[in-house]
Every structure is written in structure tokens, then in C-alpha cells.
Amino acid sequence: MPPTPASAAAAETNIQVVLRCRPINDKEATERAHAVLAFKGIRGRELAVRAAIPSDRSLTKTFTFDRVYAPEASQELVFRDVVYPIVEEVVSGYNCTIFAYGQTGTGKTHTMQGDLALSPGGQLSPHAGMIPRALYALFEIVNFDAGDATVKVSCIELYNEELRDLLAVTDDDSAKLKLYEENKVVHLQGAQERFVKSPVEVIQLLNQATEKRQVAATKMNEKSSRSHCVFMVTVMIKESTPDGLEVMKVGKLNLVDLAGSENIGRSGAENRQAREAGAINQSLLTLGRVINALVEKQGHVPYRESKLTRLLKDSLGGHTKTCIIATVSPARSNLEETLSTLDYAHRAKNIRNKPKVNEHRSKRAIISEYEREIDQLRADLQA
Ligand code: ADP
Ligand code: MG
């Protein structure tokens, strides 16, 4: 008998949307009147976009987000503000998803992964991104020593509607990856799940996954800008309630580094030329359509039209707490793509989800789990 989820009251909340602007790079610094974005402080809520004629204030457009980070904002600041509270939600048994969305070269990978190098003492780099920081925080928040908590991670890549397991030992293992639906919930079958006992082990796995992603990227030009990378963390915590019931809390965190947003047309509409050039990114295109359908409250939401939206269905209009980190360049030469990202992110603010806790309150389920564990221990002893 499957454990029954507790009927936690699910209140609607909007998807959280934050904007991060990277610093101007050397190439852009040589442009005349290079910066077109103006910020109110390192961390504010508003962003002004100066249009073509800087002296004409009427051409300035202002966007408001849950947070807006200026180029000087550190990884630590973005993490403390945006991701740490999400890690706490995961520990409480929520499913949470963080998407990095933006044009190639604007800092999606920097934000999600960043520098993975560790100091000799095992400390994270100041440039470490959200994934390593989230795992370090997780191991700080949860007491794993008592043996009542476990963490497992998976990492997959989605390119050209094909799933690939970045933690798989052999390439054949990726062939086993499959999405299937059961009781309206989409599951990923066949992915390597690694149990980790320390954040350092996670860093090793991340390095392994990055290497795997890069090898393929150099073989196939532009692949890295067209592939999506999803890092999945599951935390299981056993707790006892004051009334003596055993509670199994399961929290999940998806950290998604999306393909470059330039891979869909400016309007998000299907572009025949792009399709002919094989440049249409079905998953990114469908993600935009799903967002539109949810915002416009259309009856039909086209989740099924791409693997990305199937895999992350619950993150959009479902029971997951979702955050989008939209990344942009401050440079005039990227203005058109920046405006496109700002429009997209702004629209996504209107999506409403109903997050709920995954709490399995069933003595029987827990006991049978213990029994299995005991059987396993007995078998190990006899071996
Ligand atoms: P994307 O993944 O969106 O294509 P990257 O994360 O690879 O972009 O970033 C492109 C370059 O800009 C990298 O060299 C990265 O280190 C740098 N960069 C991006 N964001 C920042 C930032 N906030 N601070 C400093 N450097 C950044
Ligand atoms: Mg990248």
C-alpha cells in the first residue's frame, strides 16, 4: 500500500522571478555607450532599460521583479536571498525548482554552477554557484549523522529532445532513460541516482557531469548553448511527531540550466527558417508556450509537447515552488535579446502554483521499510 500524502492545505503562490545582470565584458566595454541597463542599488526590485537615445528619458522602460541584481551582486548575495530559503523549503518536504533562463553568455552556468574548485580546507570558492552552495547548505541544515536522513542526486542533459544521463558510467545507460506518466505524475525512469554523504561528494559528481557535458559539446559545435541541464536532489528525512507517528518527509530540488534563449525566435513563435536550420529548440519553445497558456489561463497547457515540460510539469502550474533566475547582459549590443528575456520573465511572474508538502504519514509504510532494511542487514551478515 503506498503511503498517503498528508492533505496539507495548498495555498496559491506566484512563481518567483528574479533578474541577474552580469558585468560588462572586455569586448562589450569597447562599445560606445555600452551599458543600457540602470539599477537601483546592488539588489533592488526595479530595472530601467535605456532605449536608443540616452538623452530621451521618455524612452526608458522600467521592469519590476521579485529581485533585481546589479552586476556587482555576489554569488553569496544571490544565494542567501533567493536559494537558501528554497533549500529550507526542500528540507520541509516541498518540491522546488530553480530555472536559469537567458541568452547564451549571460551567466546561467555561472549562476547555477559557477566555480567548483575547493580550497585545500574544502571550502567553496567565492565564485561557486547555486548548486554547490545549495548542497553545502543542505548538509548544514539537516543532521545526517543520526542516520534518519538521506540525499540522492541525479543529473541529466536534454539535447534535441534526447535525454542523456550525465552520471551514467557508460553511454548505453542513457538509453534506459525514459519519461512515463502515472496518475498524472511524470516520472523519470532509469536515471542514475547517487546517494551522497557529504557536499564534497556532490562536487565530485558535478565535476564528472560537467566533464561529460563538455566532451560532447566540443564534438558538436554549439551544443552547450542548445542543451538543457537538470540537476535533481532528493532529500528524505524521517521524523517522529509528538503523537508518536513516524513521518517521512521527501523534498526535491531541481536546478535547471536552460538552453540559450536565443534558440527560440524573438517572439517565441515558430520560425520556419530556424526549423529548417535545425535550430528550433522544441523544449525551450514549448516552455514558452506552457508559460503563455498558464498566464492566459487557457484550458489546454501543452506540457506533453516537449520532454523538458513533461519532466518539469509540476514546476509550472503544479504543486512545486518555482523560481526563475533570468540572466541578462548590460550591453547595448545585446539589447534586443535582453528585452526579449525581460518580457519573458515578466510574463512568467503571473504563473500561480499550489505548493504542498510531501509528507508520508504511515506507520505501516515505515515499518515495512525498516523490515526491508533489517532483511538486507541479515543477508549481508550471512554473505
Ligand atoms: P551562459 O551559461 O548563460 O551561456 P556563462 O555562465 O557561461 O553564460 O557566462 C559567460 C561568461 O560570463 C563566463 O566567463 C562567466 O564566468 C562570466 N559571468 C557570467 N555571469 C557573471 C557574473 N555575475 N559575475 C562575473 N562573471 C560572470
Ligand atoms: Mg552555459
Side-chain angles (χ1 to χ4, degrees), residues 103-110 213 224-225 227 257-260:
Q103 180 190 4
T104 296
T106 52
K108 294 182 298 298
T109 306
H110 174 82
R213 203 181 178 199
S224 76
S225 75
S227 70
D257 186 350
L258 291 169

